[in-house]
Structure formats: structure tokens, C-alpha cells
Amino acid sequence: TNNYRKKIAKPEIAPLSLPKRTASRPRIQLEQQLSFIHSNDLLQELQRKQRVLYKLELQVLKPQIETLLYKTLAEKVQYASPYETNERNQTKKILDGYQAILKQKRETATAWQAQLEQDMDAVCDICNDGEVTPDNQILFCEACNVAVHQRCYGIASVPAGDYFCRACIYFKRDQVLARGRSGMHTGGKGDDADAPPRRKIELQPLPICCELCPMKHGAFVQTQIEEYQMRAKWVHVVCAKWHGLNYVNVEKTSNSISISDSTINTSTVSALNIVNLDMIENVTFLKKHFMAFDKKCCLCKGQRGAMNTCSAENCDNYVHITCARSSGLCAVIHGESSEGKLSPEQKPWSLTCPKHSNIDPNDVRPNSIPIEQLEAQAKLFPPETPAKPPPRPLHKMTVKERQEYFDDEEHEAMFLANSIYRFEGQKCAVCNQHDSGEEADSYLVKCQECNIFVHEGCYGLNLKLGEGEPKLFLCDSCKYIEQEAKKRKEEQLEQQKTEQQQMDEEEYHDTKTTVIEEQTLDKVIVPSCNLCVKKGGALKKAYANHINLKKMQKKLGSNFKKCLFGHQIWAHAMCGFWCPLTHFDNSGKFDCTMVIMSNGLGHIHRKHICALCGRWEGIKVSCAHKQCRAWGDKKPFRFHPSCALEAGLEISDNCKMSNNDFQLCCFQHSKCDFALRAKFEDLIEIERFRAGPELTKQSTAMTPAHASRLLQFAINIMRCLGWAWRWAEWWVELGDNWEPLLDEGQNE
């Protein structure tokens, strides 16, 4: 073949000569046939060996292995301890119960979906009415298929595209469907004929349940929760209406509007200063009321949530409104219809139990859910019991009492929330020191919005709090956000009033309007430090003056607002104090003129990077040690002050000394107090105060103050460990290890 290619390459022979190529085909075909025969023989031999091995495994090895396994299992069962046997039986029982619960959930979901499919003749899930009017249409959620009237669910106008209910938007199911549809083709004429057909997008059920009934499907709305609760809670709109709950204003809870008012529109919302119609009042008190009386639903036999009593005289039966409607055995008269509220003669908001409804079993809707299935659904929820107050203060409880108390998730969450935001163990966000209490301005105070802790003197405050008053204040950045939100809200109100004056009232209600405050905070620019890359923190206002500001404004034009001279800038109090080129003036602002470039697009010394985060942005402060040199460089280490604080390096305030200096030291030149081992020792000392010098009294109760102090020290250590990869690099570069930090006799 190589000789043939050389002949082809000769200049006297025409390239791509077909006769020459065809002349060598018999030889190539012969080689291919010989290769095929050789490979075929090899394949047959391998198949023969495979059959021999399979026969050996089947006839010899398999029986022996099965015999050994059965003997091993029999010996294990024979000699197993009663504890292991009991544990195995309990595990099997738990698994069987879990499978039964999954089966009940699937049956309930199938029955509910069948009911929804049969209700596709557009019956509102809230008022159970199928009539519509031009300004009160019925909309179907594209994700969960729940149908609602505009007025019943508080929808201002029919959306131009797909509609999604509040729960599906909260769990981003609309985005899942959008991504799925964008990645699929419809199979039309314009699509590739060989492409796979469009498959149905399967969504997981919503991971929520109504707080007032045992149903997991329907039109949901969020309810207010306690401050210590992290997870959102939901209720059916129909349950909220039947119990007279109100929409509330998140900003001012004194303003509320009845959820059963069918005449709600966006103008009413704006007039009453309601933030949105997505939140109703807390249902905790309502649930505790029913738990105290130990009432059960006469249909599902469950105690979850709240129930309505039968309207018949002298009847003590209670029933969930959703159970009454789903079973089809109760006479239910909703207080609203598509046209508005019912008259008193129609007996609105009344229902009767199956005993007093006199509904013929033959007249029950075919899509009704059987009582057995309602009972199975209610059994999925354990009986709710009212939260018992602690028998005594936490640090005086016995071990068993504490275990029983913390078995309740809400008690644990409440204890954790109280521990996080207590003053014990907190450090000032400016000087990184604890509350000394020696001077009037050395007390820690907390921002009531962002929960940062600062000393009054470090942050420039003069609160003059009396004895017993809460040590709370509002930091500058939170004040700015509040003022900007209020300003934008007033501008939107003024704009909407102007638009309202230009059109008739009827036309105004028909146009697409939105709640004024719904996106106000989204448009407010949240302040951030211009000297470093960290978000949040103790921020103060800053400014920078250009030498020729008018000339620069004229040169940049509309782009002037984008530079650092054209808008309000901010700086962490710590970054401003520790940067030697900035200073704090009498107006309470940082002057950053000397650190901002003349074009206003960045900072000076941009060629230096932070030795911790590796970023170029912001201002970096050099190590205070005169002989400090970075590896491979003739200049000292440089850090963002916020990065150095988080990594656990030495950041000291020497204002009490004569030199009035703020110092920052690298890993190599930091004091022993800032070593990672020293932080661990401080953490252990706190625990020794409770459990004894040798940590032998571990069962001793922990006070909330002690828990807060222990938690804050542990959080500081975890922040340092977030930079463990950097500490490890330093140890390697410096040839260092743990030995200098170990006590005598301790093992590394």
C-alpha cells in the first residue's frame, strides 16, 4: 500500500487516477477477508470460553455461594442479640408504614387529579361557582391546574401569557415549565422530522399543606409566621375566607382588609396602603384555640387546623370546609359568587354536617372523595398539641426535660434565633472587640433591621439610652434604604394619581394595574462598600471630590452618574478607618478623594491584589511590619481589611496609644492571640466555665447567655476555617506547622 501511494505521488502520473486505484482493490479486499476470518475465529473461541465459564458458575459456584449465604444468615439470626432483633423488626415496621403512607399519598393525589379533570368545566376552587363576568374571569394555573376567579384570588387583570398561582410562583414552577418548553420542539412543520417527539413535563407535587385543613391541593396564599420560623406557611384561600381572616400590611400590621371582601381591587389596595394580596394574618392563635377544645372533623376524624361548626340547631359536629366540599355529603353555601356577595336571605357562609344535610347518596357527585380516603389523608398528619411553656428556666431543667422541650422544632428554632441575636459573645463590626462596658461609648448596640453590632463610639453614635432601654438603633444603610423606598413610593403614588385623572374611573379599573409597593424595594440600590468586595456590614456614607467637577460633568455627560464621583458611595467603617488615605470628617462621612482615580472609574494602586481573595478591586492595606515581604516580591503583603478580619488576621486599634494608629498584620507577623489555635483555646475556655476545668460535667445545663457566647466564638472560628486553604499555603511557604502552638506534652 505504501509503494502504491508513492507511485501516485510521482509527478508524471496524473493525480487521483481512477484506473490505478481500482487496480489495487482485489488486494485490499483479500486482506480484509483474511482479517475478518481471523477475527471471526477469535470471537468464536471467546464465546466458547464464555459458555464454559457460565456453565461452571451455574452448576458449581452458585449452589456453593447460596449455601454459604444461607448458613451465614441463619447463624446471624440464631446468635443475634434481642436488641438487634428488636431493631430489625422496628426497621421493617417503619419501612412498611412508610410504603403505606406513600400508597395513600398516591391514591389521594390520583383522586384529587381526577376531581380536577372532571371540574374542567371551570368551577372556581374558592367560591365553587362556574359563572364568569367580563371583569371576573376564571383562570387556570398552568402548573397545578387550579381554577380561580379573578376577584376570589385577587388577580388585577388577565395576564397576557400563562397564568401561575402564588404557590407555584413561590416554588419557581413557572421557571421549570419555561425551561422545559424552551428545550423541546413542538413537532410542527418547521421542526426536524428526525427529532424526538415532545414529552410531557412532569412536576413534583407542591411541598406544602394548608395550616387549617389536611388538604395539599387548592388555591393557596401565604400566612404570616413568627420571627424565629424560617419556613413559609400556607393556607387555602377558601379556608381563610370561612374563618374571617384578613389580608395584612407587612409594613404596618394595623392596616388590614377582610379576605372575604369580594370587591377588592387595586385601587382599594392602594388606598389602604396594602403591600400585596399575597399575605394573610397569622393563624397560630386560631389553631391554638381549636387545639385547646380538642375538636375533630366529623368527616376525616382529624384535628389539624381549624373547623366550622354545623349550622343546624343544637348540633355539635365540626367539619373542615375542604372536607365538606370534597366529600359531597354536606350542604355548603359560600358567601360569594361570581357576581359578588350573597344577600342575608340566602344564608351565606353556612354549612351543615352529613347528618343534617339530607343529601341522597345517589345524588353525590361522581368526582367526590370517599370518607375512607379523607380519613387516610388526615392520618398522615400527627395530632397537633398546644405548645407547652417550659416547666422552668432552661438552665434549671433536667436532661430529660430539655430533651422533651427541644423535641419541638419551634422550641429549637426559637432558642437558636434568640442565641444568634443576643449580645453575649458579639464583637463590634468596626474594631472587632467585645463589649467592655468600661466607658459610656464602649457598649454594643444592635441595628434592628440588619442585626449588626457596633460600639457607639466606633460608629459615631450618641444614643444616650437610659437604663433598661433596648440597645437598638438603625444603621445608616438601613435608614437610606427606608428613605429611598418611601421616596419612590410617593413618586409612584403621584404618577398613578396623574394617570387616574386622565381617564374615566371605569377605564381605569379595566386597565392593567399593579400594587404600588410590590416592587419598590427591588428598585432601591442596596448600599455596598466601594473600598472592598464584601456585602453588608457597618456602612457609613462616603464622598469623593474631583478637582474640576463641572468640566468632568460636561465631558462625561449622561455617563457621569456611573462614575464614583456621580452618585452616593459608601464605605465600611472599618475599611475607612484602616485605610491610611481616607479620613472621617466632621459631617460623619468618609473622604475617599485620595483613593479614587481622576476618571472616577476605579481606585488607585489597582495593580496590587489582595493576598487573601486575590481580587484587584478596592483598596488594600499593607502589613504594618516594616520588614514584611510577600513571597517572590519585594513589597509587603496587602489585604482588604474586611478579608483580613474574616480570615482571623490581626486587626488592632491603637487609638489609645500616642501614635493614634490602625494596624493590620499578616499571618507571619500577627500576635499569638490571633493564631488559630488561640481561637480554639478561647472556645474551650468558655465551655470549661460550664463543664469544669476537665470538661467532665457535660450534663450541666447551658444558659441562653452561655449558648450565645459559645455560638459566636464558634462562628468566628468557622469563618477562619473558610480560609483554611490560605492558612495551609502559609504553613507550607513558611515551613511552619502546629508545633509552635502546642503545649508541652500535646500531640500534633
Side-chain angles (χ1 to χ4, degrees):
T1 305
N2 293 334
N3 294 333
Y4 167 70
R5 288 175 179 168
K6 292 178 181 178
K7 291 179 181 179
I8 294 297
K10 290 182 178 181
E12 62 269 12
I13 299 176
L16 300 177
S17 176
L18 292 178
K20 290 290 182 181
R21 286 185 178 276
T22 55
S24 62
R25 284 184 180 177
R27 181 181 176 184
I28 297 173
Q29 291 176 358
L30 180 61
E31 292 179 356
Q32 292 177 351
Q33 290 176 1
L34 291 174
S35 176
F36 175 75
I37 293 172
H38 180 70
S39 62
N40 193 23
D41 292 341
L42 181 61
L43 178 62
Q44 291 178 358
E45 181 66 19
L46 289 174
Q47 290 177 346
R48 188 182 67 80
K49 294 286 187 183
Q50 185 182 21
R51 288 193 295 269
V52 173
L53 287 173
Y54 180 73
K55 186 176 180 181
L56 180 65
E57 291 177 357
L58 189 64
Q59 296 179 358
V60 180
L61 296 179
K62 184 180 178 181
Q64 293 180 0
I65 293 173
E66 288 181 349
T67 303
L68 289 174
L69 289 175
Y70 283 129
K71 286 183 178 180
T72 304
L73 181 62
E75 290 178 1
K76 180 176 177 58
V77 173
Q78 180 181 0
Y79 295 105
S81 63
Y83 173 77
E84 293 177 349
T85 305
N86 186 29
E87 186 178 8
R88 186 168 57 252
N89 294 335
Q90 288 182 354
T91 303
K92 186 177 182 303
K93 185 177 180 181
I94 291 172
L95 290 176
D96 293 342
Y98 180 69
Q99 293 296 334
I101 290 174
L102 289 180
K103 183 179 179 181
Q104 291 177 356
K105 286 185 176 181
R106 285 193 293 267
E107 292 177 353
T108 304
T110 303
W112 185 267
Q113 186 63 31
Q115 181 178 357
L116 286 178
E117 291 175 357
Q118 293 188 14
D119 284 347
M120 281 296 290
D121 54 351
V123 175
C124 177
D125 184 78
I126 300 172
C127 68
N128 207 29
D129 186 8
E131 299 296 329
V132 296
T133 60
D135 60 343
N136 193 20
Q137 299 290 327
I138 288 183
L139 303 179
F140 284 86
C141 176
E142 291 293 327
C144 63
N145 204 29
V146 170
V148 290
H149 276 121
Q150 287 181 248
R151 289 180 180 173
C152 293
Y153 205 52
I155 304 171
S157 61
V158 178
D162 294 337
Y163 163 73
F164 294 92
C165 67
R166 294 185 178 97
C168 291
I169 292 175
Y170 180 85
F171 290 101
K172 300 181 180 180
R173 297 173 60 150
D174 54 338
Q175 300 179 15
V176 174
L177 284 178
R179 287 195 299 267
R181 290 171 180 174
S182 63
M184 289 189 276
H185 67 113
T186 58
K189 294 181 179 180
D191 294 327
D192 187 2
D194 297 333
R198 183 175 183 176
R199 60 181 177 82
K200 184 178 179 182
I201 303 173
E202 296 183 0
L203 293 172
Q204 296 295 330
L206 287 171
I208 56 176
C209 182
C210 180
E211 291 293 315
L212 301 179
C213 75
M215 293 295 178
K216 294 186 176 182
H217 308 274
F220 285 99
V221 63
Q222 235 177 317
T223 178
Q224 282 185 317
I225 57 177
E226 303 294 340
E227 293 182 358
Y228 57 84
Q229 294 173 337
M230 304 299 179
R231 187 179 300 175
K233 293 189 177 183
W234 301 79
V235 295
H236 288 126
V237 178
V238 62
C239 295
K241 285 176 176 285
W242 274 80
H243 289 286
L245 299 177
N246 299 323
Y247 287 112
V248 294
N249 184 349
V250 177
E251 294 179 353
K252 299 177 181 178
T253 54
S254 58
N255 292 338
S256 61
I257 183 171
S258 175
I259 197 173
S260 60
D261 190 354
S262 62
T263 61
I264 295 176
N265 52 40
T266 52
S267 60
T268 307
V269 172
S270 301
L272 290 176
N273 194 25
I274 304 299
V275 172
N276 50 45
L277 298 179
D278 297 343
M279 185 75 68
I280 65 165
E281 61 183 298
N282 199 327
V283 298
T284 304
F285 180 78
L286 180 63
K287 294 176 65 176
K288 288 181 178 179
H289 172 77
F290 280 89
M291 283 189 284
F293 287 96
D294 195 24
K295 298 295 182 182
K296 291 184 179 181
C297 174
C298 64
L299 291 175
C300 70
K301 306 297 187 294
Q303 293 180 293
R304 179 177 177 81
M307 292 150 277
N308 296 85
T309 182
C310 176
S311 301
E313 192 174 356
N314 298 327
C315 182
D316 296 333
N317 286 335
Y318 284 80
V319 61
H320 292 117
I321 178 60
T322 51
C323 293
R325 286 171 45 168
S326 300
S327 65
L329 301 175
C330 300
V332 180
I333 303 177
H334 197 74
E336 301 168 358
S337 66
S338 60
E339 299 179 354
K341 292 184 177 181
L342 301 184
S343 61
E345 292 78 12
Q346 296 173 299
K347 297 181 179 180
W349 309 110
S350 62
L351 63 85
T352 52
C353 63
K355 180 179 178 182
H356 297 99
S357 296
N358 298 324
I359 295 179
D360 191 349
N362 297 326
D363 297 335
V364 177
R365 299 191 313 271
N367 59 345
S368 300
I369 300 178
I371 293 181
E372 295 79 10
Q373 204 157 339
L374 291 176
E375 293 178 355
Q377 176 73 13
K379 289 179 181 178
L380 299 177
F381 301 94
E384 295 182 322
T385 56
K388 297 180 180 179
R392 55 176 65 92
L394 193 65
H395 61 282
K396 294 183 179 180
M397 290 185 189
T398 62
V399 176
K400 185 177 180 181
E401 288 175 342
R402 288 202 303 271
Q403 289 177 348
E404 293 178 354
Y405 181 73
F406 285 119
D407 281 342
D408 190 341
E409 292 183 359
E410 291 193 358
H411 290 163
E412 186 177 9
M414 188 188 307
F415 177 78
L416 182 61
N418 292 336
S419 300
I420 289 176
Y421 300 123
R422 290 180 68 95
F423 283 82
E424 292 82 5
Q426 297 285 355
K427 286 186 176 182
C428 174
V430 181
C431 68
N432 197 33
Q433 298 298 321
H434 294 284
D435 191 346
S436 62
E438 297 176 357
E439 301 176 2
D441 60 351
S442 63
Y443 288 100
L444 284 176
V445 291
K446 181 178 74 169
C447 176
Q448 55 191 359
E449 289 295 330
C450 60
N451 294 313
I452 63 167
F453 291 81
V454 294
H455 290 129
E456 289 189 47
C458 294
Y459 200 68
L461 299 174
N462 189 15
L463 301 178
K464 296 181 180 180
L465 297 174
E467 187 176 354
E469 293 186 38
K471 299 178 181 179
L472 301 175
F473 78 108
L474 202 62
C475 69
D476 291 356
S477 59
C478 292
K479 285 181 183 177
Y480 174 80
I481 294 174
E482 184 178 345
Q483 292 171 0
E484 286 295 309
K486 185 177 180 180
K487 180 180 177 181
R488 292 177 184 271
K489 175 181 170 183
E490 292 175 353
E491 291 176 356
Q492 291 180 358
L493 277 171
E494 190 66 29
Q495 182 181 358
Q496 196 171 34
K497 287 180 181 178
T498 305
E499 293 177 356
Q500 187 176 3
Q501 293 173 358
Q502 295 175 356
M503 58 182 68
D504 297 331
E505 185 178 354
E506 182 178 355
E507 294 177 353
Y508 176 75
H509 290 309
D510 290 340
T511 56
K512 183 178 180 179
T513 57
T514 56
V515 181
I516 290 177
E517 296 84 349
E518 188 170 353
Q519 297 179 347
T520 300
L521 284 176
D522 296 339
K523 297 180 180 179
V524 176
I525 299 176
V526 179
S528 61
C529 180
N530 82 96
L531 300 179
C532 72
V533 295
K534 299 295 180 183
K535 304 295 183 183
L539 293 167
K540 299 289 288 185
K541 286 186 177 181
Y543 67 91
N545 294 325
H546 194 267
I547 299 176
N548 196 338
L549 193 60
K550 292 184 179 180
K551 184 178 179 180
M552 189 176 184
Q553 287 177 343
K554 185 177 180 181
K555 180 180 178 180
L556 296 179
S558 59
N559 293 327
F560 177 73
K561 292 184 178 180
K562 298 180 181 179
C563 72
L564 295 174
F565 296 113
H567 63 275
Q568 176 65 59
I569 59 175
W570 296 79
H572 287 127
M574 182 182 63
C575 295
F577 285 129
W578 263 261
C579 179
L581 297 178
T582 60
H583 68 273
F584 195 65
D585 61 13
N586 296 329
S587 63
K589 298 181 180 180
F590 284 103
D591 186 357
C592 300
T593 304
M594 300 298 294
V595 298
I596 295 178
M597 299 172 62
S598 59
N599 59 7
L601 300 180
H603 298 83
I604 62 173
H605 303 311
R606 190 174 176 84
K607 61 182 179 180
H608 302 300
I609 65 171
C610 175
L612 281 167
C613 68
R615 297 180 66 171
W616 305 87
E617 298 92 333
I619 293 296
K620 280 71 67 175
V621 181
S622 303
C623 175
H625 198 276
K626 294 181 179 180
Q627 297 180 355
C628 179
R629 295 293 181 268
W631 305 306
D633 196 352
K634 296 181 180 180
K635 297 181 180 180
F637 280 109
R638 298 173 183 269
F639 308 95
H640 292 120
S642 55
C643 293
L645 175 66
E646 194 174 78
L649 301 182
E650 179 181 354
I651 295 184
S652 57
D653 175 9
N654 295 329
C655 287
K656 296 180 181 179
M657 301 180 185
S658 57
N659 55 0
N660 192 15
D661 193 15
F662 296 89
Q663 292 187 355
L664 185 153
C665 294
C666 66
F667 166 81
Q668 189 175 5
H669 300 109
S670 294
K671 297 177 182 177
C672 296
D673 297 344
F674 295 90
L676 189 60
R677 179 175 176 79
K679 299 179 187 296
F680 280 110
E681 291 291 348
D682 292 341
L683 181 69
I684 296 174
E685 285 299 324
I686 298 175
E687 189 65 0
R688 282 175 178 160
F689 182 78
R690 177 185 72 93
E694 301 298 329
L695 302 177
T696 55
K697 303 177 182 179
Q698 292 293 333
S699 60
T700 306
M702 185 182 297
T703 63
H706 181 86
S708 175
R709 192 175 291 108
L710 192 68
L711 178 64
Q712 297 307 325
F713 272 76
I715 289 174
N716 290 330
I717 291 178
M718 293 302 295
R719 285 175 179 162
C720 294
L721 291 178
W723 294 95
W725 59 275
R726 204 69 183 91
W727 286 81
E729 283 187 357
W730 286 327
W731 288 330
V732 172
E733 292 288 345
L734 296 174
D736 203 353
N737 52 32
W738 282 94
E739 290 180 2
L741 305 177
L742 295 175
D743 295 336
E744 186 177 356
Q746 285 186 317
N747 191 340
E748 182 176 352

